[in-house]
Amino acid sequence: MSAARRLSAAVAVVGVLTAATLLTGCEEEDERAGCAWTKTQAPTAEAGNTVVLVDGSASVRVKKAGARGPDYGGTADELLDKEDEQGETVSIGTFGGPAGDVVWTVRERPGDWKESNDNPRNQELNRQAANDCLREDLATAQRERPVDGGTDVLAALAAGAETLSDTKGDKHLLVLSDGLSTTGCADLRGARFGSPQDIKSIVSVCAARGEFSELPRLSGVKVTFVGLGHSAGGQPSADRAQREWLRKLWTTLCERAGGTCEAEDSSVMAKSPAPARPGSPGEPVVRYGDSRSRTITLPGAALFDPNSPRVRRGAVPTLADVAATARTTPSLDRVVVNGYVDPRGGSGNDRELSQGRAEAVREVLVDHGVAASRVTAHGQGRSPGCPGTEETAAVDMTREQRWQCDRRVDIEIIRK
């Protein structure tokens, strides 16, 4: 099924409201009450499921009245198809924060709009009303403000995939986002947009963590990205080449996670100014390669055996990709490797173990072409906390999750 038909099926599920009001002539106190019929309807075993994830981070929120920002409701006009297929279950939610938490506007709403009304004219009215209904749902989702600053698009994909896990029919994930992750393995604040090597390094780091992998499980899921590189607020705008880099990055990560992936290239920017909507406090900003440094974080459990400073053989390819990223960084100044351990070790060997691990990582980077004079290694002992997360997010982490974050190696690539 085409992306247009899939979205139109999702649109149709929430579209019965307006048409139902027109057909019955009844006045309703709640203009959305017509969608209540879906609550009494159970989806068939073969019914597909479409999950729409709307980016709620500050980079897509207009901060100054009179500016333009993304209008994802316009995707309905572009993708709606008159030859609709059977209706699907639909969920629409807003994601944001380092954990990719989703606030659901519509959750697993079932609907078989053709079966519920077999009159061709009425079905056409339903189809025409569907676009307006979807716009309202998407507008509601865009107004949601995440609790935490920053965003992790991969974590949001994982949340969407979890919602699809019990679906027997087709599984569709529509991601409406500028694609600017600011935490997790795909943190783009220091990325060199336009560099194929950076894409390879990010994908390698995200995929090489074994049981600690941040890649979602997307096997059997059709994923469509809309709006990559189209931002608002205080976020700089991406040019065409940078938008293409984002498309390549996210489709590659998605495919590595097992999904069938595509990115719509049409603009989603509103044609008229939008009202200001504040983002979350402390929101990081991606400056499209302007940063002098980039930090790549790898968990110690993916690099080393317990209490060992020797790099696992299976971790060498990932470090080789990081070395290539450093080696090809324009105007490279230096690479700093910082090793950390979690609080469970004896205080007597914290510094020694972290130093040994940092030096082992440095050795692999040098072996793969980074000039030895530009790489330093520092054992920092116990970690002061997880990087790139708000204090509230750290409080919500389990003890094991904090330990996983604490026993890590940070590789900082610094330009002149």
Side-chain angles (χ1 to χ4, degrees):
M1 190 189 302
S2 68
R5 291 186 178 184
R6 288 196 306 276
L7 181 58
S8 64
V11 170
V13 176
V14 295
V16 173
L17 163 66
T18 305
T21 303
L22 290 173
L23 294 172
T24 62
C26 297
E27 294 183 358
E28 299 192 37
E29 293 181 3
D30 180 359
E31 62 177 8
R32 303 280 299 170
C35 288
W37 65 275
T38 61
K39 297 180 181 180
T40 64
Q41 188 179 52
T44 64
E46 296 77 19
N49 193 343
T50 295
V51 173
V52 184
L53 297 176
V54 182
D55 190 342
S57 63
S59 64
V60 296
R61 302 173 74 87
V62 176
K63 293 183 178 180
K64 182 182 296 186
R68 293 195 308 152
D71 177 12
Y72 299 122
T75 60
D77 289 334
E78 298 177 9
L79 301 181
L80 193 63
D81 192 313
K82 288 186 178 181
E83 298 179 1
D84 300 310
E85 298 291 339
Q86 199 87 342
E88 299 182 347
T89 298
V90 64
S91 302
I92 300 176
T94 308
F95 70 89
D101 294 331
V102 178
V103 178
W104 296 103
T105 300
V106 175
R107 186 67 185 269
E108 298 182 353
R109 177 187 288 165
D112 187 342
W113 66 286
K114 286 191 173 182
E115 181 67 21
S116 65
N117 196 327
D118 58 5
N119 183 294
R121 172 173 168 75
N122 293 349
Q123 289 182 354
E124 175 62 14
L125 290 174
N126 290 351
R127 189 200 67 77
Q128 293 175 3
N131 197 8
D132 290 337
C133 197
L134 177 63
R135 278 180 177 277
E136 186 172 336
D137 285 326
L138 291 179
T140 299
Q142 280 192 270
R143 286 193 294 269
E144 289 288 347
R145 181 183 180 187
V147 175
D148 296 320
T151 189
D152 187 336
V153 176
L154 278 181
L157 286 172
E162 178 64 25
T163 299
L164 294 167
S165 60
D166 294 330
T167 300
K168 303 300 182 183
D170 293 337
K171 304 177 182 181
H172 309 133
L173 194 55
L174 182 63
V175 185
L176 311 180
S177 170
D178 60 3
L180 300 183
S181 276
T182 55
T183 188
C185 62
D187 185 341
L188 301 183
R189 284 175 291 174
R192 291 176 297 144
F193 289 74
S195 166
Q197 181 54 51
D198 252 22
I199 292 178
K200 185 177 180 182
S201 176
I202 291 169
V203 173
S204 180
V205 168
C206 290
R209 301 184 174 204
E211 61 182 299
F212 307 111
S213 173
E214 293 186 29
L215 289 180
R217 297 179 180 179
L218 298 177
S219 179
V221 179
K222 173 66 176 180
V223 183
T224 302
F225 295 93
V226 175
L228 294 177
H230 294 284
S231 305
Q235 172 62 45
S237 298
D239 59 28
R240 179 176 298 180
Q242 291 163 342
R243 291 196 297 270
E244 174 60 23
W245 186 90
L246 282 165
R247 184 200 66 79
K248 182 64 175 177
L249 171 67
W250 287 110
T251 54
T252 302
L253 281 167
C254 175
E255 289 167 358
R256 187 64 178 269
T260 303
C261 315
E262 63 182 5
E264 295 287 342
D265 196 32
S266 56
S267 174
V268 298
M269 297 304 289
K271 295 180 180 180
S272 58
R277 291 199 300 270
S280 300
E283 184 79 23
V285 175
V286 176
R287 300 195 180 279
Y288 294 105
D290 289 342
S291 175
R292 289 186 58 250
S293 69
R294 176 191 174 193
T295 299
I296 298 173
T297 296
L298 285 166
L303 299 176
F304 310 99
D305 289 326
N307 298 314
S308 171
R310 297 184 61 182
V311 174
R312 287 177 174 174
R313 181 176 298 178
V316 171
T318 297
L319 291 174
D321 284 333
V322 174
T325 297
R327 193 176 63 247
T328 58
T329 295
S331 303
L332 176 67
D333 182 30
R334 64 191 186 279
V335 178
V336 180
V337 181
N338 289 308
Y340 299 92
V341 297
D342 66 49
R344 293 179 298 173
S347 59
N349 68 349
D350 283 349
R351 185 77 63 177
E352 181 180 349
L353 179 59
S354 63
Q355 181 67 38
R357 289 181 168 182
E359 290 176 353
V361 169
R362 176 188 181 277
E363 182 177 343
V364 175
L365 297 179
V366 171
D367 286 346
H368 286 83
V370 183
S373 61
R374 296 188 182 276
V375 189
T376 58
H378 306 279
Q380 303 291 356
R382 295 188 181 186
S383 168
C386 295
T389 60
E390 300 290 335
E391 183 177 351
T392 54
V395 170
D396 292 336
M397 298 173 72
T398 66
R399 178 179 298 179
E400 180 58 34
Q401 287 173 330
R402 287 196 296 271
W403 285 340
Q404 290 175 17
C405 182
D406 287 340
R407 50 180 186 266
R408 70 181 190 276
V409 174
D410 291 341
I411 305 171
E412 187 177 12
I413 301 173
I414 305 171
R415 297 189 298 166
K416 295 179 181 177

